[in-house]
Amino acid sequence: MQELYCRWASEHFTAQQARRRGRRSYALAEAKPHFAPDRPCDVSHIALTLQLDIVGQAVTGTCATTIRAVQETVSGLTLDAVDLQVTQVRQVGGAVLPYTYDGQRLHMTFPTPLARDTSATVAVDYHVSKPRAGLYFIAPDAAYPHKPVQVWTQCQDEDARYWFPCFDAPNEKATTEMTVTVPQPYFVLSNGALLSTTPDEAAGTITYHWLQDQPHTTYLMTMVVGEFSERTELVNGLPVQWYVTPGREDDGQRAFGDTPEMVRFFSDKLRVPYPWNKYAQVAVNDFIFGGMENTSATTQTDLTLHDARAHLDFSSNGLVAHELAHQWFGDLLTCKHWSHAWLNEGFATYFDALFHEHHQGQDAFRYYMHQNARTYFREDAEVYRRPIVTNVYQEPIDLFDHHLYEKGALVLHMLRYVLGEEAFWHSLEHYLTVNRHQVVETVDLERAIEAATGRNLQRFFQQWIYQGGHPEYEVTYAWEEASHLATVTVKQTQKTGTEHNVETPLFDMPVTLLFALPDGEQRFPLRVHEQLHTFHLVLPAAPRWLSFDPGNAILKRLKLKLPKDLLIAQLQHDPDIMGRIYAAEAVGELGSLEAVASLRQALEHEAFWGVQAEIARILGKLHTPAALEALLANVALSHPKARRAVVTALGEFKEERAATALGSVLQHGDASYFVESEAAAALGKTRQATALEILQQATAKTSWNETIRNGVFRGLAELHEESTIPVLQAFTAYGQPPLARYAALRALGVIGGEKDPAPEAIVDTLTAMLDEEHVRTRMAVLDAMESLHSAKTLPALERLRARDLDGRIKRRVEEVIESIRSARKQTDEVQQLRDDFQAIREENKKLLERLERLEARPSSGATL
């Protein structure tokens, strides 16, 4: 599963909110330890027979579950089932079974207890109407008349129970089949192979029968219904398919066209062929995640479908590769308990990056991983720190964060670095082979590595998986010409110890130190495990530059305190893009005119766009006239992602020239949607008088996924002008493009947060929209409410907390309530201090007046 959640539309505001909050405890107040449930029976097969009433948004069905007793005797069976209307429970080939049902759990009793290894099949006849989760009916309405008619499921993490009775936990696997009857002309996609389609012309229906004949877990079961265009390509006989709504075939090709190459690449790299009998992807409307790796049939958000202009600097490959990698990591092997979900998500995120390397080259891969690290660093520094594996949470979805995904991927990359290339891939092949169709925990990966290589990596897993944080290295250097001695000191400067029940250690890692010499290079393998190391190294000549951890294999913060000449030489000549980036950061810290000149030269001559983007960001942080000149001279860089970084950096300057350049980009356009979007957001940040009119005019710009309006609304939010409130409110109306609504909501929150008290119009708008059905709308409102930090929203937030089922919303509500109360407490404390200070001033004034009166009296020998 990947949480796309329009990340390009929300990351700026959420980062701002995180900085306001500061790092806090990962575990919410209601968090508690969770464990995998017992399995008195082994579920071997699930057969669903379903009749869909699409207009009435209902399902009538039978769920037949075949079990084998694991315990010595099993007197009954308990299944998860929420809000189902159960009509009968029976044993197939036997009697009707007595049962009890409390709306959450369905318990049936066998007439004769099952002995160990004895099998039985129980059938539950049931009906469910407008399920609150798990099964979603999509249909057009007056405001959105072009929305397609679709039905789709989303079971992860534990939502299958809302549309059929089941053992709804990841530590159970079974083969499955679905026989689904729908109105013609709708198509049904499900797991496995399509055995038959049976039309009933008289009834106007068609029945699809799907069979998944290899075991998988309940949360991976899927059903998607709708009208779709299909494309199929065979990869060594394997059908690789994608489905999109008719008319979007070109967008589908741009989004999914590289999938066959991904299948080949992953199969070859892992030495384990793709394990299922097909691979299908279907893009659906209003999907609540980015993608979901249902076994052999991934569901994707249709937001990933994109036009030719977006394709200049947007790719669906990350999402597509991530979900495909899950077919091995998550589907073939499944985490036994959600606490070990990094074995699903960390692997999928890493293999997404590996395909990026295969497709775009080593520089692109290293920068991709650097971006992953930055995403993790932001969460770690500004939100919370946690170990990757923890069983303490409120809802399973709490775990699906940047520690699980991005840090998990970065840890796997370090594992590859520590083991070496052949040992790493041999270990993964062994891990997949010995655990095929099983459920796994982190210890199973450790054991597979030890069995394949003989390496005991307990220390590695302890510090990177079961503890928190990362090393923060500070590197200094001195050269002694007479003895040709280089002295390098390495400090670990991270704060160690326990904070919020999370232990941050001193890290023990092998590190390579590279010296670039006048004639070649020399590498030294080092071990860094103490707080301070001093290394004395003899070289044949003074180095031109040095590189700490060339290739950037280690997840770390790095501060280089090196001589200026070495840094500039590395910025200009290091063949490793990450070496150039670290050097650019260190040069930027110097802040001198020479440093800015070096950064400008590098920006103009750099071959890789990612390094250009980092240099632009550094120049933006400097806020000097020379830095502004460097950015203005490079607004027209050839790569759109580099141009995007330049216009973003210009927003750091509250100057007319910056605003003029940004306004020109927005008014005259750019080949890239994203450059225009970032120019709009940056224009608002300049706070120049011309910005308001230009941004208001740009609200009329339409674009793929509302990308430009998103930047425009962020820019309007940066102006903090109350006059923009009606414009933004108009875009929050139901019927406006959904992504524009979400961006407008977040902008309103930012503007209202600058006022005390918050404007009633904004409070009312946000409060009313908390009742909307779609999870993305509620999430946007919550983001806005956190920016607003108005106590008037607390009653509505408390009501949402009591009724909402989505785990993401539950956690977000808790965070927003905590943030508002904390902000109000801080405001109250400041006000109290002001009141106290005023009282002291008044008292001092009275004392001073008394003193003056006393001093004005004629002296009588009395003393004061």
Side-chain angles (χ1 to χ4, degrees):
M1 178 174 66
Q2 190 174 53
E3 171 61 284
L4 190 67
Y5 187 50
C6 310
R7 193 170 294 160
W8 59 85
S10 63
E11 62 184 1
H12 302 275
F13 290 149
T14 53
Q16 180 186 56
Q17 292 153 1
R19 283 190 291 273
R20 183 181 292 128
R21 288 192 300 261
R23 189 157 71 191
R24 61 180 187 277
S25 173
Y26 158 75
L28 298 175
E30 300 298 320
K32 60 183 180 181
H34 290 74
F35 303 91
D38 291 339
R39 295 171 55 252
C41 299
D42 174 48
V43 179
S44 58
H45 187 68
I46 300 170
L48 289 174
T49 304
L50 306 174
Q51 180 88 32
L52 266 63
D53 175 2
I54 294 178
V55 174
Q57 299 190 2
V59 176
T60 299
T62 298
C63 177
T65 304
T66 301
I67 59 170
R68 178 185 60 83
V70 173
Q71 295 179 350
E72 184 175 353
T73 59
V74 175
S75 60
L77 177 66
T78 301
L79 298 176
D80 299 298
V82 179
D83 296 340
L84 306 183
Q85 300 171 38
V86 178
T87 55
Q88 183 176 257
V89 179
R90 50 197 162 83
Q91 189 166 342
V92 175
V96 172
L97 300 179
Y99 67 89
T100 59
Y101 179 48
D102 61 2
Q104 299 287 321
R105 307 265 284 173
L106 174 65
H107 179 76
M108 61 205 73
T109 303
F110 299 129
T112 302
L114 297 181
R116 181 183 289 127
D117 291 329
T118 301
S119 295
T121 300
V122 295
V124 179
D125 300 324
Y126 69 99
H127 178 84
V128 58
S129 178
K130 296 183 179 179
R132 294 191 293 156
L135 177 64
Y136 299 81
F137 290 84
I138 309 302
D141 58 20
Y144 298 102
H146 302 297
K147 186 178 289 190
V149 174
Q150 293 176 349
V151 183
W152 45 261
T153 60
Q154 171 55 35
C155 297
Q156 192 176 6
D157 34 48
E158 296 175 354
D159 285 352
R161 63 188 70 190
Y162 287 92
W163 63 283
F164 70 95
C166 56
F167 184 90
D168 201 7
N171 64 321
E172 180 65 88
K173 290 194 171 191
T175 56
T176 63
E177 63 183 307
M178 287 196 201
T179 305
V180 185
T181 300
V182 296
Q184 295 187 28
Y186 296 121
F187 167 73
V188 178
L189 177 68
S190 189
N191 313 98
L194 180 58
L195 300 185
S196 66
T197 57
T198 308
D200 185 335
E201 300 301 339
T205 63
I206 184 168
T207 300
Y208 292 82
H209 184 190
W210 290 89
L211 173 66
Q212 175 55 57
D213 61 1
Q214 298 184 73
H216 62 150
T217 194
T218 307
Y219 78 80
L220 296 170
M221 293 175 66
T222 184
M223 175 180 65
V224 177
V225 179
E227 294 185 79
F228 299 102
S229 291
E230 176 194 332
R231 294 292 183 272
T232 299
E233 181 175 336
L234 294 179
V235 177
N236 298 326
L238 173 76
V240 177
Q241 306 162 319
W242 51 262
Y243 298 84
V244 297
T245 52
R248 302 206 66 181
E249 292 82 3
D250 290 345
D251 294 347
Q253 181 62 33
R254 277 185 284 269
F256 305 132
D258 288 331
T259 310
E261 179 60 23
M262 294 176 191
V263 173
R264 296 184 188 97
F265 173 69
F266 289 164
S267 297
D268 292 344
K269 203 73 178 169
L270 289 166
R271 307 163 191 171
V272 175
Y274 177 83
W276 314 101
N277 58 9
K278 75 168 190 300
Y279 187 60
Q281 297 172 94
V282 57
V284 301
N285 191 266
D286 280 355
F287 196 52
I288 60 174
F289 288 100
M292 180 62 215
E293 66 275 11
N294 309 302
T295 309
S296 80
T298 288
T299 306
Q300 306 275 29
T301 173
D302 64 357
L303 296 177
T304 200
L305 304 178
H306 56 281
D307 61 23
R309 184 179 174 191
H311 201 58
L312 290 173
D313 52 346
F314 175 84
S315 172
S316 296
N317 279 352
L319 176 65
V320 173
H322 180 102
E323 305 306 337
L324 174 62
H326 271 310
Q327 301 298 315
W328 286 267
F329 302 102
D331 295 10
L332 184 62
L333 277 61
T334 306
C335 63
K336 181 178 180 180
H337 187 252
W338 297 119
S339 57
H340 294 272
W342 84 281
L343 297 173
N344 296 9
E345 302 300 346
F347 271 93
T349 305
Y350 187 48
F351 274 77
D352 149 21
L354 290 173
F355 182 76
H356 198 69
E357 179 179 33
H358 172 74
H359 200 241
Q360 299 290 333
Q362 186 180 78
D363 287 353
F365 166 75
R366 287 181 177 173
Y367 191 65
Y368 204 69
M369 294 296 282
H370 176 61
Q371 291 173 305
N372 280 342
R374 177 172 290 157
T375 300
Y376 152 71
F377 287 144
R378 184 185 301 122
E379 181 174 85
D380 176 82
E382 299 170 356
V383 187
Y384 53 69
R385 170 171 291 178
R386 73 173 183 88
I388 289 179
V389 170
T390 176
N391 71 337
V392 178
Y393 54 84
Q394 184 167 292
E395 298 280 340
I397 199 68
D398 292 352
L399 296 162
F400 288 75
D401 61 5
H402 299 305
H403 284 70
L404 199 74
Y405 286 73
E406 284 85 356
K407 187 179 183 181
L410 292 153
V411 167
L412 286 170
H413 188 55
M414 287 188 290
L415 188 60
R416 179 180 171 190
Y417 161 71
V418 168
L419 286 173
E421 199 72 6
E422 175 55 32
F424 176 77
W425 291 111
H426 179 52
S427 295
L428 291 195
E429 179 187 13
H430 185 69
Y431 173 62
L432 286 167
T433 302
V434 299
N435 295 295
R436 188 180 183 90
H437 293 309
Q438 302 300 311
V439 294
V440 289
E441 299 175 292
T442 302
V443 67
D444 295 302
L445 176 61
E446 293 183 62
R447 288 168 177 164
I449 293 169
E450 187 166 1
T453 68
R455 296 284 300 276
N456 183 336
L457 294 184
Q458 281 185 315
R459 178 165 53 197
F460 178 93
F461 280 87
Q462 179 62 32
Q463 62 188 356
W464 288 110
I465 302 296
Y466 299 107
Q467 293 177 307
H470 49 270
E472 298 178 17
Y473 296 123
E474 182 180 285
V475 177
T476 61
Y477 158 89
W479 173 253
E480 189 177 313
E481 179 62 34
S483 57
H484 281 207
L485 188 69
T487 300
V488 177
T489 63
V490 182
K491 295 180 183 178
Q492 291 195 57
T493 61
Q494 72 273 14
K495 182 181 178 182
T496 59
T498 302
E499 180 185 359
H500 297 306
N501 296 317
V502 178
E503 178 72 19
T504 301
L506 281 173
F507 286 82
D508 187 343
M509 289 296 290
V511 181
T512 297
L513 190 61
L514 179 151
F515 291 94
L517 303 171
D519 184 17
E521 66 178 39
Q522 192 163 344
R523 294 173 180 250
F524 293 89
L526 309 173
R527 179 189 173 200
V528 176
H529 61 286
E530 301 287 357
Q531 189 169 27
L532 175 65
H533 289 275
T534 301
F535 300 102
H536 301 286
L537 307 164
V538 177
L539 299 173
R544 299 165 61 203
W545 76 84
L546 65 88
S547 180
F548 181 84
D549 183 29
N552 200 40
I554 299 172
L555 174 61
K556 64 185 180 298
R557 294 280 202 181
L558 179 61
K559 181 172 288 189
L560 298 175
K561 292 192 170 182
L562 307 179
K564 173 189 62 179
D565 293 345
L566 267 69
L567 293 172
I568 292 175
Q570 184 177 18
L571 175 61
Q572 294 174 341
H573 302 296
D574 193 335
D576 175 21
I577 64 133
M578 287 308 304
R580 301 202 294 276
I581 288 171
Y582 285 127
E585 290 175 345
V587 170
E589 289 291 325
L590 301 176
S592 64
L593 285 174
E594 183 183 4
V596 173
S598 297
L599 290 169
R600 177 173 178 171
Q601 181 184 19
L603 178 64
E604 294 171 348
H605 294 90
E606 173 60 49
F608 181 64
W609 70 265
V611 180
Q612 288 180 310
E614 294 300 316
I615 293 171
R617 179 182 60 81
I618 294 163
L619 287 168
K621 290 168 61 178
L622 291 177
H623 299 129
T624 65
L628 175 59
E629 291 290 347
L631 292 166
L632 290 171
N634 288 280
V635 173
L637 291 174
S638 60
H639 199 289
K641 292 184 179 180
R643 293 199 303 279
R644 192 193 310 180
V646 170
V647 298
T648 299
L650 283 172
E652 299 296 324
F653 295 86
K654 306 296 189 287
E655 296 198 22
E656 185 178 345
R657 287 187 301 159
T660 299
L662 293 167
S664 178
V665 172
L666 188 57
Q667 291 177 307
H668 296 103
D670 188 277
S672 164
Y673 292 127
F674 293 93
V675 173
E676 286 193 50
S677 177
E678 292 305 318
L683 177 59
K685 289 185 70 175
T686 67
R687 305 279 178 87
Q688 297 301 297
T690 57
L692 179 59
E693 182 180 356
I694 295 173
L695 289 171
Q696 286 180 326
Q697 291 173 352
T699 61
K701 288 199 171 196
T702 59
S703 59
W704 167 77
N705 279 2
E706 297 298 310
T707 301
I708 296 176
R709 277 201 190 109
N710 171 264
V712 171
F713 293 163
R714 285 191 280 126
L716 289 174
E718 292 286 353
L719 293 176
H720 304 308
E721 292 278 352
E722 286 197 50
S723 63
T724 64
I725 292 175
V727 175
L728 293 167
Q729 280 184 309
F731 275 99
T732 67
Y734 190 76
Q736 291 285 355
L739 294 179
R741 298 181 75 210
Y742 309 151
L745 283 165
R746 293 187 176 95
L748 283 173
V750 173
I751 293 171
E754 295 297 317
K755 316 297 178 184
D756 193 12
E760 291 289 342
I762 295 179
V763 173
D764 292 344
T765 297
L766 297 180
T767 302
M769 292 181 68
L770 272 184
D771 292 327
E772 287 205 18
E773 181 178 354
H774 201 281
V775 64
R776 295 188 192 279
T777 308
R778 302 198 302 283
M779 192 67 82
V781 174
L782 290 171
D783 288 346
M785 283 184 167
E786 184 166 18
S787 296
L788 194 67
H789 52 79
S790 170
K792 293 180 180 179
T793 63
L794 287 173
L797 288 166
E798 295 285 3
R799 290 193 297 272
L800 182 65
R801 175 165 61 179
R803 71 173 186 267
D804 210 291
L805 295 178
D806 192 288
R808 293 165 296 174
I809 297 293
K810 289 182 178 181
R811 182 176 185 92
R812 196 76 186 93
V813 170
E814 295 281 359
E815 292 172 344
V816 174
I817 290 174
E818 176 192 335
S819 178
I820 292 172
R821 287 177 173 164
S822 176
R824 301 320 297 180
K825 180 180 178 182
Q826 184 176 5
T827 300
D828 292 344
E829 289 174 350
V830 169
Q831 187 59 49
Q832 184 63 53
L833 286 172
R834 286 174 176 165
D835 292 344
D836 292 345
F837 181 68
Q838 184 63 29
I840 292 171
R841 288 182 64 183
E842 293 293 333
E843 183 63 29
N844 285 343
K845 182 180 178 181
K846 292 177 183 178
L847 290 172
L848 183 60
E849 290 172 350
R850 182 183 175 195
L851 177 62
E852 290 173 345
R853 288 195 301 269
L854 290 172
E855 289 179 337
R857 293 177 182 175
S859 175
S860 61
T863 58
L864 182 65

